[in-house]
Amino acid sequence: MRISYNWLKNFIDIDKTPEELSLILTDIGLEVESLEVEQSIPGGLAGLVVGEVITCEQHPNADKLKVTTVNVGQPELLHIVCGAPNVRQGLKVIVAQVGTTCHPTTGEPFKITKSKIRGEVSEGMLCGEDEIGLGTSHAGIVELDPQAEIGSLVKSYYNMEDDYCYEIGLTPNRADAASHLGVARDLAAYFRKQTHPIDVSAFKETSTAGTAVVVESPVDAPRYSGINIKNIKVGESPDWLRNRLAAIGVRSINNIVDVTNYILHDLGQPLHAFDADKIAGNKVVVRKAKAGEPFVTLDGVERTLSDEDLVIADAEKPMCIAGVFGGANSGVTAETTSIFLESAYFNPVSVRKTAKRHSLKTDSSFRFERGTNPDITVEALKKAALLIAEVSGGEVSSSIVDHYPEAIQPFEFPVSYAYVQRVIGKDIPAETIKDIILALGIEVKNETAAGFDVLVPPYKVDVTREIDVVEEVLRIYGYNNIELKTQIKASLNTSEKPDREVILNQVADMLIGNGYREILSNSLTKDDYLENPDTAVKILNPLSSDLDVMRQNLLFSALVAVGYNQKRKNGDLRLFEYGRSYNLENEQYVERQLFGITLAGKKDREQWNNQDRSVNFYDIKAVVDALIARLKVEGIRVEEYAGTYFDYGLSYKKGEKVLVSFGAVSKKNLAKADVDGPVFFAQLDWDLLIKVIKKNKITYKEVSKFPAVRRDLALLLDDAITFDQLRLIATRTEKKLLKDVQIFDVYKGDKLPEGKKSYALSFILQDEEKTLTDKQIDSIIQKLIINFEKEVGANVR
């Protein structure tokens, strides 16, 4: 939003420089994003002075040139060579002295230098209007009034004043400041002074009836005012009006439209002028549009209206989309001689929905959808009528129509001095708090020593609660005036539990760094994907049969993504998802946060020096183990997976609860999702994971100087025996020297007895104080073999 420094002076006396005012505006919540100098003509006639031609003689070496001496109010006369046909003795002229930069109407700026023209010294230039941007005439130099003061600035002679324009980053809640009056109100509160009253004393109303007004939808148009003006002459606006609008970046259209734009930016009240002769039946109807009703807007586009749109219509057709955009066939043209001028307060929600529905954003809709001032519609009409009379010769031809059946009441609520002081954090005197509130135009009643009730005017749409008043007081009092206290009361969270968002980011970063991509899936799914129909959360009115239940796991969300990619020749996938599952347990809806990891296709991208292989169980196990290690989860118990997700897999348990299950997705589930296998999937219970993670404590340990030793054993085992059982036996057998136990091969086949399997285990042994001897190593391995045979019936192969 652009605000003019000079325009603000219409509402408030300002003794601050534009730069100083810029800082003040920012301090009170109207952040100034830029401050620019605005000039009605380029260069602003800077450096040009009034001079008088004292002598004028023929140039000795040129027939069309004159040699003059010019008085510019300095002790010495200037010698200037001039070729203008109208130069003569005694003429008051515009002088550009040496060093002055001139800005011509066309072409680039140029600087005046001392020079010789045909042998005669020239110490400046006598200016024509095209040479300094005043106009386009090149017939001769500008002839000033004989009474012009010698040596005075030409800028002052033409009453030209530089303006300064503020670009204010207006926040959406500050609709009350979307005008020069609104900004001036805030400045008045800051300076503790009053704004100048809106002077409409010259307005003379007639009792003649004008265009009839019928408001059929008072909910959407709580106040609707209008007036008729006749005998107007549509044409170009005067310089002052065009310059005012140009300063804030508004293009001049014609004098009538320019006045409505002026009032919009002046008072914040949008107006609309209808050609009165085009209003069928001389009747304005404020109504809802008919569904499918066509309407051509000012931009020439035909739009189909909704029955939720409010329109301003005549007896036959819509003329305007209320508060948003005018019509192509009812606006002011060069032939217009009489108008009906509208000033209204429209329901902000209605305007916002209509503007969004038709993708229209205008200066009017910007203000109406945020909330305008319902109490200023008539005053705005009067000021506009006076301006239209001034710039177009028009005269008021009717009384003001004002439909306002139910006045919009101010916001009323109590305010406590103690509450204001506590929230702000400073003991601001009660009198200062009251003064600021009154200066903001807020009324005070029922005052006591503890506080008072406030009546907030309807245009301050963001001040509806006590906390809003605190914000108003603070921004006017000044954030910079609130000192930081040396002691700040604060509570620090000493909980050992980690932040789940931090943990999620750590895991996501680890996976993304290893080539995984995150997916986001719909929580709605189809009942074919249910794990347990008895606990399903069903949708009462589903959009389709494919979206009729809430998902119970992340598996099928992942499979759907895999199938979608496979059908598009993108089958090599590494995916992860963070999402919720939904179940009905004991007649209660239960949501759980889950984390899924998916692998499918080739392990690595195909290259000449890479072995071409598909992902397998050990790839999904590796990523799960890396995640567990990254989060430093300890005390994990491993079991074979027992469920419907996988053909084979493992479950990692913490206590009796499953922390993560992973494995090869069953062929039955692959078929349900129409996926070509194999697919490997892991699902973590994120809520449980967060509970079991300990606060990371970094410990340091010197690297052992002595070598580690590896020994392998191949064991024939019953199918029911798990690796976790073997690992526990091994760690109990040798607690000090056994550093790690891993399984590196599993075999099941016809070469083994029925019900048997073969595990190949590796054992890492190390003494951190000395090198192990063969005798020590053999002794440990022998103890392991004995305990495996004794506890699980293992046979060494």
Side-chain angles (χ1 to χ4, degrees), residues 223-526:
R223 188 171 193 180
Y224 190 88
S225 311
I227 194 171
N228 288 84
I229 302 174
K230 66 179 182 180
N231 297 331
I232 66 170
K233 184 176 181 181
V234 178
E236 190 176 87
S237 295
D239 289 344
W240 73 265
L241 180 54
R242 286 189 287 109
N243 291 339
R244 273 287 161 88
L245 294 176
I248 59 170
V250 177
R251 180 175 59 88
S252 175
I253 297 174
N254 59 53
N255 48 3
I256 305 303
V257 176
D258 286 355
V259 166
T260 63
N261 284 333
Y262 179 87
I263 296 297
L264 172 76
H265 293 280
D266 187 57
L267 304 179
Q269 175 60 46
L271 304 177
H272 190 77
F274 299 93
D275 188 325
D277 294 330
K278 297 178 182 177
I279 301 176
N282 196 28
K283 180 180 182 182
V284 168
V285 182
V286 184
R287 63 171 173 84
K288 285 295 185 71
K290 301 171 185 175
E293 191 170 13
F295 179 66
V296 180
T297 48
L298 272 173
D299 55 1
V301 177
E302 181 174 307
R303 305 178 190 274
T304 301
L305 301 178
S306 162
D307 57 5
E308 294 297 315
D309 296 331
L310 185 71
V311 297
I312 312 301
D314 58 19
E316 299 174 356
K317 62 189 181 303
M319 300 186 295
C320 174
I321 301 177
V324 180
F325 215 11
N329 301 316
S330 61
V332 174
T333 66
E335 289 74 35
T336 299
T337 58
S338 61
I339 61 172
F340 174 76
L341 190 62
E342 163 197 283
S343 178
Y345 173 81
F346 296 117
N347 185 296
V349 175
S350 173
V351 174
R352 187 180 305 118
K353 288 182 176 179
T354 295
K356 186 174 181 63
R357 186 179 298 116
H358 297 288
S359 299
L360 290 171
K361 288 294 182 183
T362 62
D363 284 340
S364 293
S365 68
F366 175 86
R367 287 159 177 81
F368 276 129
E369 67 186 37
R370 285 163 174 79
T372 56
N373 184 1
D375 297 330
I376 207 173
T377 59
V378 171
E379 206 165 16
L381 272 182
K382 291 179 179 179
K383 185 169 184 178
L386 291 172
L387 286 174
I388 289 173
E390 177 186 336
V391 302
S392 73
E395 55 185 289
V396 174
S397 58
S398 77
S399 58
I400 292 177
V401 176
D402 186 24
H403 281 263
Y404 198 20
E406 187 174 344
I408 297 174
Q409 298 300 315
F411 306 107
E412 182 175 356
F413 50 87
V415 173
S416 161
Y417 289 126
Y419 179 78
V420 174
Q421 293 164 344
R422 180 174 63 81
V423 173
I424 290 177
K426 182 175 181 178
D427 292 333
I428 301 174
E431 196 60 35
T432 301
I433 294 173
K434 179 184 172 184
D435 287 346
I436 291 174
I437 290 174
L438 291 173
L440 285 165
I442 300 173
E443 292 184 36
V444 170
K445 70 173 189 176
N446 302 329
E447 187 176 359
T448 67
F452 43 77
D453 293 339
V454 294
L455 295 176
V456 182
Y459 65 78
K460 295 188 76 66
V461 294
D462 67 324
V463 184
T464 59
R465 305 166 300 166
E466 187 177 17
I467 189 64
D468 299 329
V469 171
V470 176
E471 182 181 353
E472 292 292 282
V473 170
L474 179 56
R475 69 182 183 84
I476 298 300
Y477 182 78
Y479 294 96
N480 295 333
N481 294 325
I482 307 299
E483 302 85 2
L484 289 176
K485 295 184 178 180
T486 55
Q487 293 183 345
I488 299 175
K489 294 181 179 180
S491 60
L492 300 178
N493 185 1
T494 58
S495 172
E496 294 288 321
K497 294 180 181 179
D499 187 313
R500 64 171 55 222
E501 296 300 323
V502 172
I503 298 300
L504 176 62
N505 288 336
Q506 290 176 351
V507 172
D509 289 346
M510 184 190 82
L511 293 174
I512 291 170
N514 284 277
Y516 285 76
R517 295 188 177 187
E518 184 175 8
I519 60 172
L520 297 173
S521 304
N522 196 340
S523 296
L524 295 173
T525 187
K526 56 184 177 181

Side-chain angles (χ1 to χ4, degrees), residues 569-582:
K569 306 301 181 183
N570 183 33
D572 302 333
L573 299 169
R574 297 182 182 188
L575 309 173
F576 71 92
E577 180 174 14
Y578 178 73
R580 292 183 179 273
S581 66
Y582 306 85

